Amino acid sequence: MRIVVLAGGIGGARFLRGLLRAAPDADIAVIGNTGDDITLFGLRVCPDLDTVMYTLGGGINEEQGWGRANETFSVREELAAYDVRPQWFTLGDRDFATHIVRTQMLDAGYPLSAVTEALCARWLDRPDDGRGGPGGAGVRLLPMTDDRVETHVIVDDDAGRRAIHFQEWWVRLHAQVPAVEIVAVGAEDAKPAPGVLDAIESADVVLFPPSNPVVSIGTILQVPGIRPAIEGKTVVGVSPIIGGAPVRGMADACLAAIGVRTTAGAVAEHYGRRLLDGWLVDEIDAGTTAEGIEVRIRPLYMRDVDSAAAIARAALELATELT
Ligand code: FO1
């Protein structure tokens, strides 16, 4: 079975780990959001790609959901000693190595898709370790585009109306300052990365994990060509909203910026029936309906790999039924 998954960071990565367990023989292509990418200290950082790569490769900091396990922070401390800013974004020593390799390759002229493939050779090109480790074999991680797309947030506070990078809004301001608008700068001129449209074309099913519908999946869908390619496919999504609140992160602040209510049904209708065929909602949202979309009720908290696998299995079953 060929599966395409559109993924942001933590929610997408944990869903994928479940999907690998639920469908170990599937050919899985992940289209990763790059709108969160940021250049810091001269290094290109791709948080969502790295979160997927580290999670599937067994190198993620499990408690945090992002960054490396067993991390140290010597470089960060040294930068702070020089009073180098910003200091609101934490990069660990092991993580720095990833950004150094990526930036060297980008500077040498390799596109982000080739760089991502090279980085993933370390994390994903290995069979399951047989000890219950995730193993990422069978997964191809493709950035949504090789072009530069950066999500910026227009805020209006005491310092005045201005555009700031998404990470500054998310990490420094904790999305506490209301977003007037969220803009994926560069998206309209971006081209899907090599392999993206082919993967969608040959997919039996496309899955939307419980990733942020605005700044993760929404950004991927803004890359010209991706949405129309997906519209022709059987698409099943997992609600990132349970009982009127995001499972994690601050998706409610992003939904407010585009005038969508924070409910499982409103998010399904935001995607719309042209895109979405099936939608999984949690038991607490049992009354949810969405016009033209088949809604199924399942426990949606991803407590561990088993519960993530059960959700992935339910998504695949619904997709098979709707195909
Ligand atoms: N999230 C934070 O809340 N604080 C951080 O300092 C932070 C650093 C960071 C470094 C590398 C990385 O890959 C991710 C990092 N994240 C951090 C997560 C990230 O900002 C967001 O959660 C995602 O971009 C949203 O998907």
Side-chain angles (χ1 to χ4, degrees):
M1 184 182 226
R2 289 175 189 209
I3 305 171
V4 162
V5 180
L6 269 50
I10 304 172
R14 291 185 176 165
F15 174 83
L16 279 161
R17 198 158 53 177
L19 182 63
L20 270 171
R21 180 165 293 181
D25 299 326
D27 174 322
I28 302 169
V30 181
I31 302 175
N33 171 44
T34 58
D36 292 18
D37 296 5
I38 187 167
T39 299
L40 293 168
F41 319 118
L43 300 174
R44 194 69 179 154
V45 181
C46 300
D48 285 358
L49 296 180
D50 290 348
T51 298
V52 169
M53 181 173 83
Y54 294 155
T55 301
L56 297 185
I60 198 76
N61 177 322
E62 287 290 345
E63 293 77 48
Q64 228 168 220
W66 50 267
R68 291 288 309 277
N70 306 315
E71 189 55 287
T72 54
F73 298 94
S74 299
V75 175
R76 173 180 164 78
E77 284 158 20
E78 289 297 310
L79 288 169
Y82 287 113
D83 204 22
V84 172
R85 283 152 204 266
Q87 291 171 1
W88 48 261
F89 200 78
T90 303
L91 294 175
D93 300 331
R94 290 173 187 270
D95 200 23
F96 260 115
T98 302
H99 313 315
I100 291 169
V101 175
R102 174 184 293 122
T103 306
Q104 275 188 330
M105 289 188 71
L106 288 171
D107 288 351
Y110 291 95
L112 182 62
S113 50
V115 176
T116 304
E117 190 181 341
L119 292 171
C120 284
R122 170 180 173 194
W123 295 101
L124 305 186
D125 277 2
R126 60 195 176 82
D128 192 303
D129 61 11
R131 288 178 278 117
V139 176
R140 269 178 308 140
L141 177 59
L142 309 168
M144 63 187 196
T145 181
D146 279 336
D147 300 318
R148 192 149 170 161
V149 175
E150 265 186 20
T151 302
H152 288 192
V153 180
I154 317 287
V155 292
D156 201 352
D157 60 7
D158 297 345
R161 196 183 179 103
R162 64 204 190 282
I164 57 176
H165 191 284
F166 167 76
Q167 294 294 351
E168 184 173 0
W169 182 65
W170 192 256
V171 173
R172 187 170 82 82
L173 300 176
H174 303 291
Q176 296 287 306
V177 178
V180 178
E181 204 182 332
I182 297 177
V183 187
V185 179
E188 63 193 29
D189 299 321
K191 288 178 296 305
V196 165
L197 293 182
D198 288 344
I200 298 170
E201 172 77 16
S202 61
D204 301 302
V205 50
V206 176
L207 300 177
F208 292 180
S211 289
N212 190 308
V214 184
V215 295
S216 298
I217 296 181
T219 306
I220 299 170
L221 292 170
Q222 281 186 55
V223 176
I226 293 187
R227 175 186 279 270
I230 290 175
E231 279 176 355
K233 293 285 161 177
T234 301
V235 181
V236 171
V238 180
S239 176
I241 306 297
I242 298 184
V247 181
R248 76 184 59 74
M250 297 157 287
D252 46 344
C254 302
L255 288 165
I258 59 163
V260 174
R261 283 176 307 124
T262 305
T263 67
V267 172
E269 285 184 341
H270 165 64
Y271 284 132
R273 62 193 295 179
R274 279 175 70 97
L275 200 58
L276 213 55
D277 300 289
W279 188 235
L280 297 184
V281 304
D282 188 73
E283 292 154 314
I284 202 170
D285 297 307
T288 301
T289 55
E291 211 186 324
I293 298 164
E294 191 67 32
V295 176
R296 288 292 153 81
I297 301 150
R298 289 286 181 284
L300 289 192
Y301 280 109
M302 293 191 289
R303 289 189 183 79
D304 47 29
V305 183
D306 283 343
S307 49
I311 296 166
R313 220 169 275 123
L316 290 175
E317 278 164 19
L318 181 54
T320 307
E321 208 180 296
L322 294 172
T323 301

Coordinates of all heavy atoms in Angstrom, one line a residue, residues 55-136:
T55 N 12.2 11.5 15.5 CA 11.2 10.6 16.1 C 11.2 9.2 15.5 O 11.3 8.2 16.2 CB 9.8 11.2 16.0 OG1 9.8 12.5 16.6 CG2 8.7 10.4 16.7
L56 N 11.2 9.2 14.2 CA 11.2 7.9 13.5 C 12.5 7.2 13.7 O 12.6 5.9 13.6 CB 10.8 8.0 12.0 CG 9.4 8.6 11.8 CD1 9.1 8.6 10.3 CD2 8.3 7.8 12.5
G57 N 13.6 7.9 13.8 CA 14.9 7.3 13.9 C 15.3 7.0 15.4 O 16.4 6.5 15.6
G58 N 14.4 7.3 16.3 CA 14.7 6.9 17.7 C 15.7 7.9 18.4 O 16.2 7.6 19.5
G59 N 15.8 9.1 17.9 CA 16.7 10.1 18.5 C 16.1 11.3 19.1 O 16.7 12.2 19.6
I60 N 14.7 11.2 19.2 CA 14.0 12.4 19.7 C 14.0 12.5 21.2 O 14.1 11.5 21.9 CB 12.5 12.3 19.2 CG1 11.8 13.7 19.3 CG2 11.7 11.3 20.0 CD1 12.2 14.7 18.3
N61 N 13.9 13.7 21.8 CA 13.7 13.9 23.2 C 12.2 13.6 23.4 O 11.3 14.4 23.1 CB 14.0 15.4 23.6 CG 13.7 15.7 25.0 OD1 12.8 15.2 25.6 ND2 14.6 16.5 25.6
E62 N 11.9 12.5 24.0 CA 10.5 12.0 24.1 C 9.6 13.0 25.0 O 8.5 13.2 24.6 CB 10.5 10.6 24.8 CG 10.9 9.5 23.8 CD 10.0 9.2 22.7 OE1 8.8 9.7 22.7 OE2 10.4 8.6 21.7
E63 N 10.2 13.5 26.0 CA 9.3 14.4 26.9 C 8.9 15.6 26.2 O 7.8 16.0 26.2 CB 10.0 14.7 28.2 CG 10.3 13.6 29.1 CD 11.5 12.7 28.7 OE1 12.5 13.3 28.3 OE2 11.3 11.5 28.6
Q64 N 9.9 16.3 25.5 CA 9.7 17.5 24.9 C 8.9 17.3 23.6 O 8.1 18.1 23.2 CB 11.1 18.1 24.5 CG 11.3 19.5 24.9 CD 12.8 19.8 24.8 OE1 13.3 20.5 25.6 NE2 13.5 19.3 23.8
G65 N 9.3 16.3 22.8 CA 8.7 16.0 21.5 C 9.5 16.6 20.4 O 9.2 16.4 19.2
W66 N 10.4 17.5 20.7 CA 11.3 18.1 19.7 C 12.8 18.0 20.2 O 13.0 17.9 21.4 CB 10.9 19.5 19.3 CG 10.7 20.4 20.5 CD1 9.5 20.7 21.1 CD2 11.7 21.2 21.2 NE1 9.7 21.6 22.1 CE2 11.1 21.9 22.2 CE3 13.1 21.4 21.0 CZ2 11.7 22.8 23.1 CZ3 13.8 22.2 21.9 CH2 13.1 22.9 22.9
G67 N 13.7 18.2 19.3 CA 15.1 18.2 19.8 C 15.6 16.8 20.1 O 14.9 15.8 20.0
R68 N 16.9 16.7 20.4 CA 17.6 15.4 20.6 C 17.5 14.9 22.0 O 17.5 15.7 23.0 CB 19.0 15.5 20.2 CG 19.3 15.7 18.7 CD 18.9 14.4 17.9 NE 19.6 13.3 18.5 CZ 20.9 13.0 18.2 NH1 21.6 13.7 17.3 NH2 21.5 11.9 18.8
A69 N 17.4 13.5 22.1 CA 17.6 12.9 23.4 C 19.0 13.1 23.9 O 19.9 13.3 23.1 CB 17.2 11.4 23.3
N70 N 19.2 13.0 25.2 CA 20.5 13.1 25.8 C 21.3 14.3 25.3 O 22.5 14.2 25.0 CB 21.3 11.8 25.5 CG 20.6 10.5 25.9 OD1 20.0 10.5 27.0 ND2 20.5 9.5 25.1
E71 N 20.7 15.4 25.3 CA 21.3 16.6 24.7 C 22.1 17.3 25.7 O 21.9 17.2 27.0 CB 20.1 17.5 24.2 CG 20.4 18.7 23.4 CD 21.3 18.4 22.2 OE1 22.5 18.1 22.4 OE2 20.8 18.5 21.0
T72 N 23.1 18.1 25.2 CA 23.9 19.0 26.1 C 23.8 20.4 25.5 O 23.4 20.5 24.3 CB 25.4 18.5 26.2 OG1 25.9 18.4 24.9 CG2 25.5 17.2 26.9
F73 N 24.2 21.4 26.2 CA 23.9 22.8 25.7 C 25.2 23.7 25.8 O 25.0 24.9 26.0 CB 22.8 23.4 26.5 CG 21.5 22.6 26.2 CD1 21.1 21.5 27.1 CD2 20.7 22.8 25.1 CE1 20.0 20.8 26.9 CE2 19.6 22.1 24.9 CZ 19.2 21.0 25.7
S74 N 26.3 23.1 25.5 CA 27.6 23.9 25.6 C 27.6 25.1 24.6 O 28.0 26.2 25.0 CB 28.8 23.0 25.4 OG 28.8 22.0 26.4
V75 N 27.2 24.8 23.4 CA 27.3 25.9 22.4 C 26.3 27.0 22.7 O 26.7 28.2 22.7 CB 26.9 25.3 21.0 CG1 26.9 26.4 19.9 CG2 28.0 24.2 20.5
R76 N 25.1 26.6 23.2 CA 24.1 27.6 23.6 C 24.7 28.5 24.7 O 24.6 29.7 24.7 CB 22.9 26.9 24.0 CG 21.8 27.8 24.6 CD 20.6 26.9 25.0 NE 19.7 27.6 25.9 CZ 18.8 28.5 25.6 NH1 18.8 28.9 24.3 NH2 18.0 29.0 26.4
E77 N 25.4 27.8 25.7 CA 25.9 28.6 26.8 C 27.0 29.5 26.4 O 27.1 30.6 26.9 CB 26.4 27.6 27.9 CG 25.3 26.9 28.7 CD 25.7 25.6 29.4 OE1 26.9 25.4 29.5 OE2 24.8 24.9 29.7
E78 N 27.8 29.0 25.5 CA 28.9 29.9 25.0 C 28.4 31.1 24.2 O 28.9 32.2 24.3 CB 29.9 29.0 24.1 CG 30.7 28.0 24.9 CD 31.7 28.7 25.9 OE1 32.4 29.7 25.5 OE2 31.7 28.3 27.1
L79 N 27.4 30.8 23.4 CA 26.8 31.9 22.6 C 26.2 33.0 23.6 O 26.4 34.2 23.4 CB 25.7 31.4 21.7 CG 26.1 30.6 20.5 CD1 24.9 29.9 19.8 CD2 26.9 31.5 19.5
A80 N 25.5 32.5 24.6 CA 25.0 33.4 25.6 C 26.1 34.2 26.3 O 25.9 35.4 26.6 CB 24.1 32.6 26.6
A81 N 27.2 33.6 26.5 CA 28.3 34.3 27.2 C 28.8 35.4 26.3 O 29.3 36.4 26.8 CB 29.4 33.3 27.5
Y82 N 28.7 35.3 25.0 CA 29.0 36.4 24.1 C 27.8 37.3 23.9 O 27.9 38.2 23.1 CB 29.4 35.8 22.7 CG 30.8 35.2 22.7 CD1 30.9 33.8 22.5 CD2 31.9 35.9 22.8 CE1 32.1 33.2 22.4 CE2 33.2 35.3 22.8 CZ 33.3 34.0 22.6 OH 34.5 33.4 22.6
D83 N 26.7 37.0 24.6 CA 25.5 37.8 24.5 C 24.9 37.8 23.1 O 24.3 38.8 22.6 CB 25.7 39.3 25.0 CG 24.4 39.9 25.5 OD1 23.5 39.2 25.8 OD2 24.3 41.2 25.4
V84 N 25.1 36.7 22.4 CA 24.6 36.5 21.1 C 23.1 36.2 21.2 O 22.7 35.4 22.0 CB 25.3 35.4 20.3 CG1 24.6 35.1 19.0 CG2 26.8 35.8 20.1
R85 N 22.3 36.9 20.3 CA 20.8 36.7 20.3 C 20.4 36.1 19.0 O 21.1 36.2 18.0 CB 20.1 38.0 20.6 CG 20.2 38.4 22.1 CD 20.2 39.8 22.3 NE 20.8 40.1 23.6 CZ 20.2 40.2 24.8 NH1 18.9 40.1 24.8 NH2 20.8 40.4 25.9
P86 N 19.2 35.5 19.0 CA 18.2 35.4 20.1 C 18.6 34.2 21.0 O 19.2 33.3 20.7 CB 16.9 35.0 19.3 CG 17.4 34.3 18.1 CD 18.7 34.8 17.7
Q87 N 18.0 34.4 22.3 CA 18.3 33.3 23.3 C 17.0 32.6 23.6 O 17.0 31.8 24.5 CB 18.9 34.0 24.5 CG 20.3 34.4 24.2 CD 20.9 35.3 25.3 OE1 20.3 35.5 26.4 NE2 22.2 35.7 25.1
W88 N 15.9 33.0 22.9 CA 14.6 32.3 23.2 C 14.4 31.0 22.5 O 13.4 30.3 22.7 CB 13.4 33.3 22.9 CG 13.5 34.0 21.6 CD1 13.9 35.3 21.4 CD2 13.1 33.5 20.3 NE1 13.8 35.6 20.1 CE2 13.3 34.6 19.4 CE3 12.5 32.3 19.9 CZ2 13.0 34.4 18.0 CZ3 12.3 32.1 18.5 CH2 12.5 33.2 17.6
F89 N 15.3 30.7 21.6 CA 15.2 29.4 20.8 C 16.3 28.5 21.2 O 17.5 28.8 21.1 CB 15.2 29.7 19.3 CG 14.6 28.6 18.5 CD1 13.2 28.5 18.4 CD2 15.4 27.7 17.8 CE1 12.6 27.5 17.6 CE2 14.8 26.7 17.0 CZ 13.4 26.6 16.9
T90 N 16.0 27.4 21.8 CA 17.0 26.5 22.4 C 17.5 25.5 21.3 O 16.7 24.6 20.8 CB 16.4 25.7 23.6 OG1 15.9 26.7 24.5 CG2 17.4 24.8 24.2
L91 N 18.8 25.5 21.0 CA 19.4 24.5 20.2 C 20.5 23.8 21.0 O 21.3 24.4 21.6 CB 20.0 25.2 18.9 CG 19.1 25.8 17.9 CD1 19.9 26.5 16.9 CD2 18.1 24.8 17.3
G92 N 20.4 22.5 21.0 CA 21.3 21.7 21.8 C 22.5 21.3 20.9 O 22.5 21.5 19.7
D93 N 23.6 20.8 21.5 CA 24.8 20.5 20.8 C 24.6 19.5 19.7 O 25.1 19.6 18.6 CB 25.9 20.0 21.7 CG 26.2 21.1 22.8 OD1 26.1 22.3 22.5 OD2 26.6 20.7 23.9
R94 N 23.9 18.4 20.0 CA 23.7 17.4 19.0 C 22.9 17.9 17.8 O 23.1 17.6 16.7 CB 23.0 16.2 19.6 CG 23.8 15.4 20.6 CD 22.9 14.3 21.3 NE 23.6 13.7 22.4 CZ 24.4 12.6 22.2 NH1 24.4 12.0 21.1 NH2 25.0 12.1 23.3
D95 N 21.8 18.7 18.2 CA 21.0 19.3 17.2 C 21.8 20.2 16.3 O 21.6 20.3 15.1 CB 19.8 20.0 17.9 CG 18.6 20.2 17.0 OD1 18.5 19.5 16.0 OD2 17.8 21.1 17.3
F96 N 22.7 21.0 16.9 CA 23.5 21.9 16.1 C 24.2 21.2 15.0 O 24.3 21.7 13.9 CB 24.6 22.6 17.0 CG 24.2 24.0 17.5 CD1 24.0 24.3 18.8 CD2 24.1 25.0 16.5 CE1 23.6 25.5 19.2 CE2 23.8 26.3 17.0 CZ 23.5 26.6 18.3
A97 N 24.7 20.0 15.2 CA 25.4 19.2 14.2 C 24.5 19.0 12.9 O 25.0 19.2 11.8 CB 25.9 17.9 14.7
T98 N 23.2 18.7 13.2 CA 22.3 18.5 12.1 C 22.2 19.8 11.2 O 22.3 19.8 10.0 CB 20.9 18.2 12.6 OG1 21.0 17.0 13.4 CG2 19.9 18.0 11.5
H99 N 22.1 21.0 11.9 CA 22.0 22.2 11.2 C 23.3 22.7 10.5 O 23.2 23.3 9.5 CB 21.5 23.3 12.2 CG 20.4 22.9 13.1 ND1 19.3 22.2 12.6 CD2 20.2 23.0 14.4 CE1 18.5 21.9 13.6 NE2 19.0 22.4 14.7
I100 N 24.4 22.3 11.1 CA 25.7 22.5 10.4 C 25.8 21.7 9.1 O 26.1 22.3 8.0 CB 26.9 22.2 11.4 CG1 26.9 23.2 12.5 CG2 28.2 22.3 10.6 CD1 27.9 22.9 13.6
V101 N 25.4 20.5 9.2 CA 25.5 19.6 8.0 C 24.5 20.2 6.9 O 24.9 20.3 5.7 CB 25.2 18.2 8.3 CG1 25.1 17.3 7.0 CG2 26.2 17.6 9.3
R102 N 23.3 20.5 7.4 CA 22.3 21.0 6.4 C 22.8 22.3 5.7 O 22.7 22.4 4.5 CB 21.0 21.2 7.2 CG 19.9 21.9 6.3 CD 18.7 22.2 7.0 NE 18.0 21.0 7.5 CZ 17.7 20.7 8.7 NH1 18.0 21.5 9.7 NH2 17.1 19.6 9.0
T103 N 23.3 23.2 6.6 CA 23.7 24.5 6.0 C 24.9 24.4 5.1 O 24.9 25.0 4.0 CB 24.0 25.5 7.2 OG1 22.9 25.5 8.1 CG2 24.3 26.9 6.7
Q104 N 25.8 23.5 5.4 CA 27.0 23.3 4.5 C 26.5 22.8 3.2 O 27.0 23.2 2.2 CB 27.9 22.2 5.1 CG 28.9 22.8 6.1 CD 29.9 21.7 6.5 OE1 29.6 20.5 6.5 NE2 31.1 22.1 6.9
M105 N 25.6 21.8 3.2 CA 25.1 21.2 1.9 C 24.3 22.3 1.1 O 24.4 22.3 -0.1 CB 24.3 20.0 2.2 CG 25.1 18.8 2.7 SD 24.2 17.3 2.7 CE 23.9 16.9 1.0
L106 N 23.5 23.0 1.8 CA 22.7 24.1 1.1 C 23.6 25.1 0.5 O 23.5 25.5 -0.6 CB 21.7 24.8 2.1 CG 20.5 23.9 2.6 CD1 19.8 24.7 3.7 CD2 19.5 23.6 1.4
D107 N 24.6 25.5 1.3 CA 25.6 26.5 0.8 C 26.4 25.9 -0.4 O 26.8 26.6 -1.3 CB 26.6 26.9 1.9 CG 25.9 27.8 2.9 OD1 24.7 28.2 2.6 OD2 26.5 28.1 4.0
A108 N 26.6 24.6 -0.4 CA 27.3 24.0 -1.6 C 26.4 23.8 -2.8 O 26.8 23.3 -3.8 CB 27.8 22.6 -1.1
G109 N 25.1 24.2 -2.6 CA 24.2 24.1 -3.8 C 23.2 23.0 -3.8 O 22.4 22.9 -4.8
Y110 N 23.2 22.1 -2.9 CA 22.2 21.1 -2.8 C 20.9 21.6 -2.4 O 20.8 22.4 -1.5 CB 22.6 20.0 -1.9 CG 23.9 19.2 -2.3 CD1 25.1 19.5 -1.8 CD2 23.7 18.1 -3.2 CE1 26.2 18.8 -2.2 CE2 24.9 17.4 -3.6 CZ 26.1 17.7 -3.1 OH 27.2 17.0 -3.5
P111 N 19.8 21.1 -3.1 CA 18.5 21.6 -2.7 C 18.1 20.9 -1.4 O 18.6 19.8 -1.0 CB 17.6 21.1 -3.8 CG 18.3 20.0 -4.5 CD 19.8 20.2 -4.3
L112 N 17.1 21.5 -0.7 CA 16.7 21.0 0.6 C 16.3 19.5 0.6 O 16.5 18.7 1.5 CB 15.6 21.8 1.2 CG 15.1 21.4 2.6 CD1 16.2 21.5 3.7 CD2 13.9 22.3 3.1
S113 N 15.6 19.1 -0.6 CA 15.2 17.7 -0.7 C 16.4 16.8 -0.7 O 16.3 15.7 0.0 CB 14.4 17.5 -1.9 OG 15.0 18.1 -3.1
A114 N 17.5 17.1 -1.4 CA 18.7 16.3 -1.4 C 19.3 16.3 0.0 O 19.8 15.2 0.5 CB 19.6 16.8 -2.5
V115 N 19.3 17.4 0.6 CA 20.0 17.5 2.0 C 19.2 16.7 3.0 O 19.8 15.9 3.8 CB 19.9 19.0 2.4 CG1 20.5 19.1 3.9 CG2 20.7 19.9 1.5
T116 N 17.8 16.7 2.9 CA 17.0 16.0 3.8 C 17.2 14.5 3.6 O 17.3 13.7 4.5 CB 15.5 16.4 3.6 OG1 15.4 17.8 3.7 CG2 14.6 15.6 4.5
E117 N 17.3 14.1 2.3 CA 17.6 12.7 2.0 C 18.9 12.2 2.6 O 19.0 11.1 3.2 CB 17.6 12.5 0.5 CG 17.6 11.0 0.1 CD 17.7 10.9 -1.5 OE1 17.3 11.8 -2.2 OE2 18.0 9.8 -1.9
A118 N 19.9 13.1 2.5 CA 21.3 12.8 3.1 C 21.2 12.7 4.6 O 21.7 11.7 5.2 CB 22.3 13.8 2.6
L119 N 20.5 13.6 5.2 CA 20.4 13.5 6.7 C 19.6 12.3 7.1 O 19.9 11.6 8.1 CB 19.7 14.8 7.2 CG 20.4 16.1 7.1 CD1 19.6 17.3 7.5 CD2 21.7 16.1 8.0
C120 N 18.6 12.0 6.3 CA 17.7 10.8 6.7 C 18.4 9.5 6.5 O 18.0 8.5 7.1 CB 16.4 10.8 5.9 SG 15.2 12.1 6.5
A121 N 19.5 9.5 5.7 CA 20.2 8.2 5.5 C 20.7 7.7 6.8 O 20.8 6.5 7.1 CB 21.4 8.4 4.5
R122 N 21.0 8.6 7.7 CA 21.5 8.2 9.1 C 20.4 7.7 9.9 O 20.6 6.7 10.7 CB 22.1 9.4 9.8 CG 22.4 9.1 11.2 CD 23.1 10.3 12.0 NE 23.2 10.0 13.4 CZ 23.4 10.9 14.3 NH1 23.6 12.2 13.9 NH2 23.5 10.6 15.6
W123 N 19.2 8.3 9.8 CA 18.1 8.0 10.7 C 17.1 7.0 10.2 O 16.5 6.3 11.0 CB 17.4 9.3 11.1 CG 18.2 10.2 11.8 CD1 18.9 11.3 11.3 CD2 18.6 10.2 13.2 NE1 19.6 12.0 12.3 CE2 19.4 11.3 13.5 CE3 18.3 9.3 14.3 CZ2 20.0 11.6 14.7 CZ3 18.8 9.6 15.5 CH2 19.6 10.7 15.7
L124 N 16.8 7.0 8.9 CA 15.7 6.2 8.4 C 16.0 5.0 7.6 O 15.2 4.1 7.4 CB 14.7 7.1 7.6 CG 14.2 8.4 8.4 CD1 13.2 9.1 7.5 CD2 13.6 8.0 9.7
D125 N 17.2 5.0 7.0 CA 17.6 3.9 6.1 C 18.1 2.7 6.9 O 19.1 2.1 6.6 CB 18.7 4.4 5.2 CG 18.1 5.1 4.0 OD1 16.9 5.3 4.0 OD2 18.8 5.5 3.1
R126 N 17.3 2.3 7.9 CA 17.8 1.1 8.6 C 16.6 0.3 9.0 O 15.5 0.9 9.3 CB 18.6 1.5 9.8 CG 17.9 2.3 10.8 CD 18.8 2.9 11.8 NE 18.1 3.8 12.7 CZ 17.4 3.4 13.7 NH1 17.4 2.1 14.0 NH2 16.7 4.2 14.5
P127 N 16.7 -1.0 9.0 CA 15.5 -1.8 9.3 C 15.2 -1.6 10.8 O 16.0 -1.2 11.6 CB 16.0 -3.2 9.0 CG 17.5 -3.1 9.1 CD 17.9 -1.8 8.7
D128 N 14.0 -2.0 11.2 CA 13.6 -2.1 12.6 C 14.7 -2.8 13.4 O 15.2 -3.8 12.9 CB 12.2 -2.8 12.7 CG 11.6 -2.6 14.0 OD1 12.3 -2.9 15.0 OD2 10.5 -2.1 14.0
D129 N 15.0 -2.2 14.5 CA 16.1 -2.9 15.3 C 15.7 -4.1 16.0 O 16.5 -4.8 16.6 CB 16.7 -1.9 16.3 CG 15.7 -1.4 17.3 OD1 14.6 -2.0 17.4 OD2 16.0 -0.4 18.0
G130 N 14.4 -4.5 15.8 CA 14.0 -5.8 16.4 C 13.8 -5.7 17.9 O 13.4 -6.7 18.5
R131 N 14.1 -4.6 18.5 CA 14.0 -4.5 20.0 C 12.8 -3.5 20.3 O 12.8 -2.9 21.3 CB 15.3 -4.0 20.6 CG 16.4 -5.0 20.6 CD 17.7 -4.5 21.2 NE 18.4 -3.8 20.2 CZ 18.7 -2.5 20.3 NH1 18.3 -1.8 21.3 NH2 19.4 -1.9 19.3
G132 N 11.9 -3.4 19.3 CA 10.8 -2.5 19.6 C 11.1 -1.0 19.3 O 10.3 -0.2 19.4
G133 N 12.4 -0.8 18.8 CA 12.7 0.6 18.4 C 11.9 0.9 17.2 O 11.4 0.0 16.5
P134 N 11.8 2.2 16.9 CA 10.9 2.5 15.8 C 11.4 2.1 14.4 O 10.6 1.4 13.7 CB 10.8 4.1 15.8 CG 12.0 4.5 16.7 CD 12.4 3.3 17.5
G135 N 12.6 2.3 14.1 CA 13.1 2.0 12.7 C 12.3 2.8 11.7 O 11.1 2.9 11.8
G136 N 13.0 3.4 10.8 CA 12.2 4.3 9.9 C 12.2 3.8 8.5 O 11.9 4.5 7.6

